[in-house]
Amino acid sequence: MSPPLVAVEFLTSRLKIQADEIAVRNHHVTEMTGITHVYCKQTIGGFEVANGDIDVHVSKDGQVVAYGDSFFKSAAARHKLRRRADIWSSEQSGPIAEPKAAFATFATHIGQSPDAGRMAVVPVDSAASGTQQTYLIKGVPFVDRDVSAVRALIQTSEGTLAPAWEFKVHMPRNYFHAFVSADGKRLLSLVDWVASASYRVVKLGNNNPADTPRELVDNPADATASPAGWHDQGTRRFTTTIGNNVYAQENLNGTASWEMNRRPDGGSKLVFDYPYEASKPPADNMNASITNLFYMNNIMHDIFYHYGFTEATGNFQENNWGKGGRGGDAVKANAIDGDGTDNAEFETPPDGERPQMRMFAFTATKPSRDGDLENDIVSHEYGHGISNRLTGGPDNADCLPDGQAAGMGEGWSDFFAYWLEMKRADTPAKHVEMGKYVVGRNIRTYPYATDMKSNPLTFGQLLEPGWDEPHRMGEVWAVMLYDMYWNLVAKLGFSENRYVADPTKGNTLALKLVMDALKLQVCRPNFVNARDAILQAEQMLTGGKHRCDIWRAFAKRGLGEGAKAADSIVTSTKMPQNCNA
Ligand SMILES: [Ca+2]
Ligand SMILES: [Ca+2]
Ligand SMILES: [Ca+2]
Ligand SMILES: [Zn+2]
């Protein structure tokens, strides 16, 4: 069976999607892995659903190894729609606007006022039967190509399916893809295909401005995770450090108000290029700090989206583009928050309620240093949001409250932080230290290392005095994951592309397994529960091929077969029998 057929068979038999709703639009093979990526659009009653996408990834031997699904799913609503000869009938959707009137709503939004009298709407001869009639709007003064208009369907942020005019608008500096409600009154979605933006930051993969000079990074937004870029909430656009994933601002006075706090403004070209002077205190480098905080929050959003932290699983977005979950919860990220020092924190309420990241100045050095500029601090904090939302589902925010669960919460955050900074040239001899820029030394007891001399921590350490503290327990968990990471990278190699959850490469597989396991594990997990969830994730994703590599990491650190974590701690270095051969 060809990969597109495998994909359609999978969607109809496993996901119970009607075959006539699936249109395979595109497929291609990644040579290195042999995986075929199949991209499908949902069509209902002959209309394409603009944001109804499914991607299915099929291995060389015809197995579905991963998929992503944002089809419109309300069975009752779909049944009703399918019975209609024309979903676009006014009986169904109320009064329908002419394309010119709907286009005027879009034009007003981007600050243009087209002269409706000069515009003419012309139908385009469409050769293929069954496709929707396309119109051209001629005589629009601010475009450099006739505007195309077509009737479409779109999933709204309220979870309904709405008829909408779809416009493609080519301008000298922009190429807009816009959807306006059929009645012409509301802009439902707006994406600029040539959105360009640049930020001077500590680039992804680096850690702080003392180790590596900041760089001007162009267009880092990921088109899948952030379809409207980093400064657009679908109906509201910003030129400051506000967007669909994060609101980043200073909070020097440390009070609760934040909406009107200062933010750098990149102007219409979205250029965020600010100086950083190491000899000056954090407040004097404020714009550089807020820019880096904004950048890293968006990077975390975009990368982890590809590993399953999406709208439906409770991620942090203002607008969910009709893809499930609850919106209205982009991160509120305060740079240089005056309410504290020598720390950083992240609060994670249930999905749909806004999380808060607060970064404080660190006073160990003169002048003091700013956690906003140390990427492992920002990614560690954002990581708390990921592990809290995914464990026990997006609506339960009480699953990592204390004990081993809270300890592993710290461990997952350290894992995410060092994962982002690993490079192809690294070897298992690499030592990783945390917080070195802000504190001047490793803030953990030991470096993360695979050799037991440099990092002797094992599960039994939890019985030692003082080691029931969450960050200390987190060190034990994170070094187990470090060993697992290296077992998988030694076996499968390293992928440079952090944005693809490739199960055939060691680093990307390690993160994918940890992310899948967060969703699989029980609320309030202990070390044994969390280990077993990773093994279960591996069984589901790669069929047990790497289970012994995972066991080897945990057994080495005292969490082998027969270890107990529930009532009293029992350590074990035992491997399962069928791994010993
Ligand atoms: Ca304030
Ligand atoms: Ca959310
Ligand atoms: Ca949760
Ligand atoms: Zn933490």
Side-chain angles (χ1 to χ4, degrees):
M1 237 191 320
S2 72
L5 282 176
V6 171
V8 171
E9 160 69 18
F10 172 80
L11 297 177
T12 52
S13 66
R14 291 283 299 280
L15 301 189
K16 308 293 177 208
I17 293 169
Q18 310 251 19
D20 64 356
E21 288 191 7
I22 305 166
V24 176
R25 285 286 182 252
N26 184 288
H27 67 275
H28 61 85
V29 185
T30 299
E31 291 302 335
M32 257 162 64
T33 60
I35 288 177
T36 303
H37 311 278
V38 183
Y39 296 92
C40 310
K41 274 277 181 199
Q42 186 174 27
T43 60
I44 297 178
F47 291 93
E48 194 165 274
V49 180
N51 48 359
D53 297 283
I54 288 185
D55 51 286
V56 182
H57 308 274
V58 182
S59 68
K60 265 191 294 225
D61 52 352
Q63 301 297 311
V64 172
V65 292
Y67 71 95
D69 172 10
S70 65
F71 269 27
F72 178 69
K73 288 289 168 33
S74 163
R78 249 168 47 240
H79 184 67
K80 203 169 137 203
L81 291 171
R82 293 158 71 85
R83 288 204 326 259
R84 300 277 171 183
D86 184 359
I87 295 164
W88 264 74
S89 69
S90 56
E91 184 195 347
Q92 177 79 17
S93 55
I96 290 171
E98 290 298 307
K100 268 200 272 190
F103 180 71
T105 297
F106 156 79
T108 305
H109 178 78
I110 61 162
Q112 301 286 346
S113 46
D115 177 357
R118 289 184 49 204
M119 294 193 295
V121 177
V122 182
V124 178
D125 290 338
S126 62
S129 65
T131 58
Q132 287 305 314
Q133 176 66 57
T134 300
Y135 299 89
L136 291 181
I137 305 178
K138 294 176 174 290
V140 179
F142 54 87
V143 301
D144 55 13
R145 205 185 276 184
D146 291 339
V147 172
S148 85
V150 67
R151 292 182 175 95
L153 296 173
I154 189 166
Q155 302 176 72
T156 67
S157 47
E158 293 89 48
T160 61
L161 194 66
W165 281 106
E166 174 183 4
F167 298 106
K168 291 174 187 167
V169 188
H170 201 275
M171 295 164 59
R173 293 195 53 86
N174 309 84
Y175 191 1
F176 287 112
H177 190 204
F179 292 83
V180 175
S181 59
D183 65 9
K185 291 188 179 135
R186 277 207 305 153
L187 184 65
L188 297 174
S189 170
L190 179 63
V191 173
D192 185 352
W193 280 330
V194 289
S196 87
S198 47
Y199 312 85
R200 188 167 300 279
V201 290
V202 179
K203 194 178 172 185
L204 171 63
N206 297 331
N207 187 53
N208 65 72
D211 286 356
T212 324
R214 294 174 311 142
E215 294 170 47
L216 194 64
V217 177
D218 291 325
N219 303 324
D222 179 81
T224 301
S226 296
W230 285 356
H231 297 271
D232 195 322
Q233 297 178 345
T235 51
R236 292 175 71 201
R237 307 170 75 204
F238 302 87
T239 58
T240 62
T241 46
I242 297 179
N244 201 44
N245 308 322
V246 59
Y247 293 75
Q249 56 279 322
E250 58 78 29
N251 192 30
L252 290 168
N253 71 7
T255 62
S257 61
W258 61 280
E259 286 94 336
M260 305 304 288
N261 289 13
R262 284 170 293 176
R263 301 180 181 94
D265 190 327
S268 61
K269 292 178 181 163
L270 298 173
V271 178
F272 296 84
D273 187 358
Y274 303 101
Y276 159 72
E277 290 180 57
S279 61
K280 291 191 170 168
D284 291 354
N285 291 311
M286 189 175 81
N287 283 340
S289 288
I290 299 170
T291 298
N292 203 68
L293 184 65
F294 178 79
Y295 167 79
M296 274 305 292
N297 270 268
N298 278 298
I299 287 283
M300 293 298 290
H301 169 275
D302 285 5
I303 289 180
F304 284 83
Y305 192 95
H306 289 271
Y307 293 80
F309 189 44
T310 60
E311 293 90 351
T313 59
N315 74 353
F316 307 127
Q317 291 183 193
E318 213 57 24
N319 183 337
N320 276 6
W321 317 110
K323 295 178 181 176
R326 294 193 184 87
D329 60 357
V331 177
K332 163 188 154 193
N334 288 350
I336 332 175
D337 195 297
D339 195 33
T341 59
D342 302 298
N343 212 339
E345 59 173 40
F346 198 95
E347 277 175 24
T348 320
D351 190 24
E353 292 178 41
R354 192 179 306 292
Q356 168 174 275
M357 177 186 282
R358 297 202 300 169
M359 308 299 289
F360 306 122
F362 285 76
T363 57
T365 56
K366 288 250 177 308
S368 52
R369 281 184 163 175
D370 183 353
D372 297 301
L373 292 167
E374 179 157 9
N375 288 354
D376 66 25
I377 305 273
V378 184
S379 50
H380 174 104
E381 295 309 327
Y382 198 101
H384 281 302
I386 297 171
S387 59
N388 266 310
R389 280 278 164 93
L390 292 183
T391 303
D395 295 331
N396 189 343
D398 302 309
C399 288
L400 303 174
D402 50 26
Q404 291 177 30
M408 288 187 293
E410 298 301 336
W412 283 305
S413 279
D414 275 9
F415 170 75
F416 296 151
Y418 65 62
W419 186 91
L420 288 167
E421 295 179 14
M422 298 300 253
K423 300 186 171 59
R424 180 186 289 284
D426 291 336
T427 71
K430 181 186 173 99
H431 287 189
V432 175
E433 301 186 322
M434 310 289 299
K436 240 190 132 177
Y437 166 75
V438 288
V439 181
R441 57 171 175 80
N442 186 13
I443 55 176
R444 303 295 177 232
T445 317
Y446 301 99
Y448 291 118
T450 59
D451 72 283
M452 300 296 285
K453 255 207 191 87
S454 305
N455 187 322
L457 293 174
T458 64
F459 187 39
Q461 189 73 25
L462 269 60
L463 295 165
E464 299 298 320
W467 281 79
D468 55 356
E469 191 277 328
H471 294 87
R472 298 288 88 84
M473 285 192 279
E475 290 187 48
V476 178
W477 180 244
V479 77
M480 291 173 177
L481 297 181
Y482 195 70
D483 273 312
M484 181 187 89
Y485 172 95
W486 276 112
N487 288 353
L488 294 172
V489 171
K491 183 179 183 181
L492 299 170
F494 181 89
S495 169
E496 296 281 1
N497 189 350
R498 297 180 180 88
Y499 291 82
V500 176
D502 183 351
T504 69
K505 286 284 175 278
N507 57 328
T508 44
L509 175 62
L511 180 56
K512 177 69 174 148
L513 294 179
V514 166
M515 291 291 285
D516 286 354
L518 288 171
K519 298 178 193 171
L520 291 168
Q521 70 194 4
V522 294
C523 188
R524 297 170 184 260
N526 61 39
F527 272 54
V528 169
N529 301 143
R531 177 204 66 193
D532 288 349
I534 291 174
L535 288 160
Q536 188 189 353
E538 193 282 321
Q539 183 66 43
M540 290 168 66
L541 183 67
T542 39
K545 273 190 285 189
H546 312 300
R547 58 186 284 276
C548 295
D549 306 285
I550 296 168
W551 271 112
R552 202 147 36 83
F554 287 112
K556 172 181 167 184
R557 301 279 176 181
L559 199 65
E561 193 178 58
K564 289 191 169 57
D567 300 318
S568 56
I569 285 172
V570 177
T571 69
S572 161
T573 54
K574 208 174 142 214
M575 289 288 284
Q577 208 151 34
N578 53 8
C579 285
N580 284 331

